[in-house]
Amino acid sequence: MTPPATPDDIRQGLRTDAERNRARVLAAARSVFSEQGLEVPMTVIARQAGVGIATLYRRFPTREDLIGAVFDDRMDAYVAAISEALNDPDPWHGFTTYVERVCAMQAADRGFADLLTLTFPTAKALEAKRDTAYKGWLALITRAKDSGHLRPDFSPEDLPVLLMANAGVISATGDAAPDTWRRLVAYMLESYAAEPVRSNELPPAPAPRALYRAMIRLTRR
């Protein structure tokens, strides 16, 4: 006969269930945020995770708590990107590579695209990493300007403007023309240069049929 469960067994079982539920919620949120953005209802995430909404809120009392947990590793990658750019011996290459990398991160994850153009004051750890990346960004701009490659009137706020524009292109083109953002970013990087430059390998424009599908998709939305 199986011996009765002890209080320690019960507590361990509850902890195991709680961790399992937390992992399921995080996995569901990553998937849903990536596909639909950060404004998706919490009920959708709970349903995707196979848990009740009360269980979700026990693990993550606010949306910002959930967003902070989901994107903790992405923000680490965001900070790492600026660190690598600052270590590039070529200031202009470091600058352009960083911008391209961040925009690629946007394109790969719609939730992260939203994250980069929003602020979450109560998500302290997330905002601390954003602040670290921003300070690195200021240093990267200074290096690029001092090298003579970045136009002197470039502003730190030009990156958020680009990210907003890029997020719009990514959202509008979707699967119909998924690489369109690359052409936008290439054009913008050329415009940031102190001296006129022309890329020999400008990413191709979307095919007319693909762009038409994207326009139809946007209209239906």
Side-chain angles (χ1 to χ4, degrees), residues 86 134-144:
L86 287 169
Y134 182 71
K135 291 176 180 177
W137 171 237
L138 296 180
L140 192 65
I141 291 171
T142 298
R143 290 181 75 233

Side-chain angles (χ1 to χ4, degrees), residues 26 124 165:
L26 285 174
K124 301 300 184 184

Side-chain angles (χ1 to χ4, degrees), residues 103 160 210:
C103 289

Side-chain angles (χ1 to χ4, degrees), residues 26 55 64 90 95-96 111 113 128 138 141 150 156 179 183 187 207 212:
L26 285 174
T55 297
E64 291 192 1
D90 182 336
F95 176 88
T96 59
L138 296 180
I141 291 171
L150 180 62
D179 289 329
R183 191 171 178 88
Y187 270 129
Y212 178 75

Side-chain angles (χ1 to χ4, degrees), residues 42-195:
M42 298 286 269
T43 52
V44 173
I45 296 171
R47 185 165 58 249
Q48 177 85 357
V51 302
I53 189 66
T55 297
L56 187 154
Y57 278 117
R58 276 197 299 273
R59 304 278 74 79
F60 304 98
T62 70
R63 178 183 293 271
E64 291 192 1
D65 290 329
L66 180 57
I67 289 172
V70 168
F71 290 102
D72 183 62
D73 58 340
R74 309 289 174 85
M75 290 304 291
D76 285 339
Y78 186 48
V79 173
I82 194 70
S83 178
E84 291 175 17
L86 287 169
N87 287 327
D88 193 317
D90 182 336
W92 179 242
H93 182 264
F95 176 88
T96 59
T97 300
Y98 174 73
V99 172
E100 290 169 347
R101 183 170 175 181
V102 172
C103 289
M105 293 171 73
Q106 272 192 302
D109 187 326
R110 183 175 169 186
F112 191 71
D114 288 348
L115 183 73
L116 290 179
T117 57
L118 299 172
T119 59
F120 302 92
T122 66
K124 301 300 184 184
L126 185 152
E127 290 301 321
K129 292 176 182 179
R130 190 199 303 273
D131 185 58
T132 297
Y134 182 71
K135 291 176 180 177
W137 171 237
L138 296 180
L140 192 65
I141 291 171
T142 298
R143 290 181 75 233
K145 286 184 177 180
D146 289 347
S147 73
H149 291 92
L150 180 62
R151 55 190 299 166
D153 57 351
F154 181 87
S155 166
E157 286 65 46
D158 285 330
L159 179 59
V161 171
L162 171 59
L163 293 176
M164 290 176 187
N166 194 44
V169 169
I170 291 166
S171 177
T173 54
D175 295 335
D179 289 329
T180 304
W181 68 271
R182 297 183 184 279
R183 191 171 178 88
L184 168 69
V185 173
Y187 270 129
M188 294 308 298
L189 285 174
E190 288 188 357
S191 75
Y192 298 156
E195 298 293 335

